[in-house]
Amino acid sequence: EAEVAQSPRYKITEKSQAVAFWCDPISGHATLYWYRQILGQGPELLVQFQDESVVDDSQLPKDRFSAERLKGVDSTLKIQPAELGDSAMYLCASSQVGAGGFPQYFGPGTRLLVL
Amino acid sequence: SQQGEEDPQALSIQEGENATMNCSYKTSINNLQWYRQNSGRGLVHLILIRSNEREKHSGRLRVTLDTSKKSSSLLITASRAADTASYFCATATNTGFQKLVFGTGTRLLVSP
């Protein structure tokens, strides 16, 4: 069964350093999502792509976070500089497109610890 | 911001018992989805119910949706230890591209 791939699985970094996360969605899924999940809470959408275009980045802290999906396939989420409050799980998901909605398929996530 | 509120926040039961979790939300929706998350891992989609549906079943799962009360429930029958996880409801609104807003989750513990 096809899966969403993410790397790395774990990342420890120091405050003010740059970090990058990579996601490869399920083949054929036009929509890709990046979420941040703080321990004990539900995931919160950071950015949503439709093919290579950003369709929602209203919750992305644009002063330090950036995301791209250049060829409409895999995607990279970057944080520069990292802050202590960025420690969280970063989840990538993908889905098909259509009226009525489709399930989202999640990767295993990247757990980030900022020291 | 989180639209959905799950209730209870935590639930502890014995194997074989049924588990019921509730979700309330605030705005009109296109569909509502339930996801499961095992400790420290990614989320797994369980079931999707559209706004014009009232009930759906999938194996031991039963989901109901009451759009007049803006609420949904997830029933897991004959629980197993492997059902131990956090369960989240997520709502997709009517406008634009489907964007899921997740609730706060219910932590379910099923003891052998």
Side-chain angles (χ1 to χ4, degrees), chain A residues 32-35 45-49 54-57 60 67 77:
Chain A
L32 183 146
Y33 312 81
W34 283 102
Y35 290 89
L45 181 69
L46 291 175
V47 61
Q48 177 178 347
F49 289 91
V54 173
V55 298
D56 190 327
D57 63 357
L60 188 72
L77 178 69

Side-chain angles (χ1 to χ4, degrees), chain B residues 42-61:
Chain B
L43 283 82
V44 174
H45 177 264
L46 296 176
I47 200 162
L48 182 155
I49 186 165
R50 295 188 167 84
S51 59
N52 61 351
E53 298 175 311
R54 291 296 168 258
E55 186 171 313
K56 285 191 82 169
H57 296 256
S58 177
R60 295 184 294 113
L61 305 181

Side-chain angles (χ1 to χ4, degrees), chain A residues 28-65:
Chain A
H29 281 190
T31 309
L32 183 146
Y33 312 81
W34 283 102
Y35 290 89
R36 177 170 59 187
Q37 184 178 25
I38 296 169
L39 193 63
Q41 298 182 17
E44 181 179 31
L45 181 69
L46 291 175
V47 61
Q48 177 178 347
F49 289 91
Q50 188 68 31
D51 299 311
E52 65 275 9
S53 300
V54 173
V55 298
D56 190 327
D57 63 357
S58 56
Q59 300 301 313
L60 188 72
K62 298 180 188 63
D63 57 336
R64 298 184 301 107
F65 286 63

Side-chain angles (χ1 to χ4, degrees), chain B residues 71-87:
Chain B
S71 67
S72 174
S73 67
L74 170 67
L75 168 67
I76 305 174
T77 59
S79 296
R80 306 167 181 167
D83 294 326
T84 295
S86 291
Y87 292 81

Side-chain angles (χ1 to χ4, degrees), chain A residues 37 44 48 100-102 104, chain B residues 1 30-31 35 37 50 98:
Chain A
Q37 184 178 25
E44 181 179 31
Q48 177 178 347
F102 284 89
Q104 293 186 13
Chain B
S1 62
N30 174 281
N31 67 77
Y35 288 80
Q37 186 176 37
R50 295 188 167 84
Q98 179 184 263

Side-chain angles (χ1 to χ4, degrees), chain B:
Chain B
S1 62
Q2 310 211 275
Q3 154 152 250
E5 290 279 342
E6 280 94 336
D7 172 60
Q9 291 187 342
L11 180 60
S12 183
I13 60 174
Q14 300 291 123
E15 268 191 328
E17 295 180 339
N18 294 341
T20 299
M21 290 158 254
N22 302 296
C23 169
S24 59
Y25 57 91
K26 299 172 185 173
T27 62
S28 296
I29 61 171
N30 174 281
N31 67 77
L32 184 146
Q33 304 181 29
W34 285 90
Y35 288 80
R36 181 186 72 225
Q37 186 176 37
N38 293 98
S39 179
R41 303 181 68 177
L43 283 82
V44 174
H45 177 264
L46 296 176
I47 200 162
L48 182 155
I49 186 165
R50 295 188 167 84
S51 59
N52 61 351
E53 298 175 311
R54 291 296 168 258
E55 186 171 313
K56 285 191 82 169
H57 296 256
S58 177
R60 295 184 294 113
L61 305 181
R62 172 179 170 254
V63 167
T64 62
L65 178 64
D66 187 334
T67 53
S68 67
K69 295 181 179 179
K70 291 186 170 59
S71 67
S72 174
S73 67
L74 170 67
L75 168 67
I76 305 174
T77 59
S79 296
R80 306 167 181 167
D83 294 326
T84 295
S86 291
Y87 292 81
F88 295 91
C89 70
T91 52
T93 55
N94 290 323
T95 57
F97 293 97
Q98 179 184 263
K99 170 182 175 179
L100 283 185
V101 179
F102 283 81
T104 51
T106 292
R107 293 187 306 280
L108 174 65
L109 174 63
V110 182
S111 301

